[in-house]
Amino acid sequence: MAGNSSRRGAIRKSGTKKGQVVGSGGQRRRGLEARGATPKAEDRTYHPAHRRAKQADRKAQTSQQRRRYAEKQADGPELVVGRNPVVECLRAGVPATALFVAVGADNDERLTEAVRFAADKGISILEVPRTDLDRMTSNGMHQGIGLQVPPYEYADPKDLLESAMNSSTPALLVALDNITDPRNLGAVIRSTAAFGGHGVLIPERRSASITAVAWRTSAGAAARLPVARATNLNRTLLDWAKSGAQLVGLDAGGDVSLDDYDGTGPTVVVVGSEGKGLSRLVRENCDSILSIPIASKVESLNASVAAGVVLSEFARQRRLKG
């Protein structure tokens, strides 16, 4: 019996195990495996950098939409709004196709004058709901009046040079480099016309264009003086130089003084902005860099003022030679 008892005690019964041993199922091994590079902060939706990147994208898209809208507007009719600007444009002889007046707009001397000017010039006068003017303007600050100005018709650079070279007086042209203020453009056009110049050349990009502001500043000279627009300003100037025109750049640090320069021959006065000056390539291709003698306390002249001073001197020289 004792031996049998010993043998039975040695037998393991299947029911003595409380349960199966649960394994990790490979979770520990997978947990130790490399997960790859950590995503960039802006790619993690929960990270503040992601929100900042989204905001930057929205701002960039908005800026691009505004730029496209501005380019589209530049190629189409321009709407001048506000009673004073409208009256000033009509006084300056800015060409216009229609005068919009909001229904129920408060009448005053400026509105009356604008309507009278438009009627005298044969410009259509249209009475429209104020909501229509709101849609036509970006900020709604129209004061119940708007003047539609058609796109300016630019001359071809080749035609402009040919006309200047074939005129009865030596060609006198002005080229603008980096001039982005339409008031400066208008003032240069006015000075060029006043001192017997034949036309103005501007680049298509990064330049002021003939808007109502430039029209107004030119005091109507933009209607009489041709303005050409070049796809590549530097290339156009080189073509003009090959045709016999002298390229004269204006710069305070020029190597030739205005007092010593003979401007009686075919000349192109190249004017840069007050801040940036002339572009590198344009400057390198000029035949001379001209400086204007000024008081030492004055650092520089406004671009349109500098152009006016040089044009005045060249006109004086031509009268004496003449």
Side-chain angles (χ1 to χ4, degrees), residues 126-275:
L126 306 175
E127 195 172 19
V128 298
R130 182 174 289 271
T131 53
D132 286 2
L133 272 178
D134 291 339
R135 285 194 297 269
M136 295 164 67
T137 57
S138 58
N139 54 17
M141 304 297 289
H142 48 70
Q143 298 178 318
I145 190 171
L147 185 69
Q148 189 177 60
V149 179
Y152 182 80
E153 295 184 7
Y154 293 94
D156 182 87
K158 293 181 179 178
D159 294 341
L160 176 57
L161 178 65
E162 183 179 355
S163 175
M165 286 295 196
N166 293 332
S167 66
S168 57
T169 57
L172 181 58
L173 298 160
V174 177
L176 301 182
D177 183 26
N178 291 321
I179 302 296
T180 57
D181 188 340
R183 290 182 292 269
N184 269 338
L185 172 57
V188 168
I189 292 172
R190 186 175 184 177
S191 295
T192 305
F195 295 115
H198 297 96
V200 173
L201 176 70
I202 62 174
E204 285 186 358
R205 301 179 60 190
R206 294 185 293 274
S207 171
S209 56
I210 303 294
T211 62
V213 174
W215 267 104
R216 199 165 64 240
T217 310
S218 75
R224 305 186 302 273
L225 190 80
V227 177
R229 196 158 57 168
T231 304
N232 186 306
L233 179 64
N234 189 59
R235 189 182 304 134
T236 300
L237 289 175
L238 287 175
D239 291 340
W240 284 11
K242 292 176 183 177
S243 298
Q246 289 288 309
L247 304 183
V248 182
L250 300 189
D251 190 277
D255 51 7
V256 181
S257 172
L258 176 61
D259 293 342
D260 303 323
Y261 190 84
D262 180 3
T264 57
T267 306
V268 181
V269 180
V270 188
V271 185
S273 69
E274 187 175 354

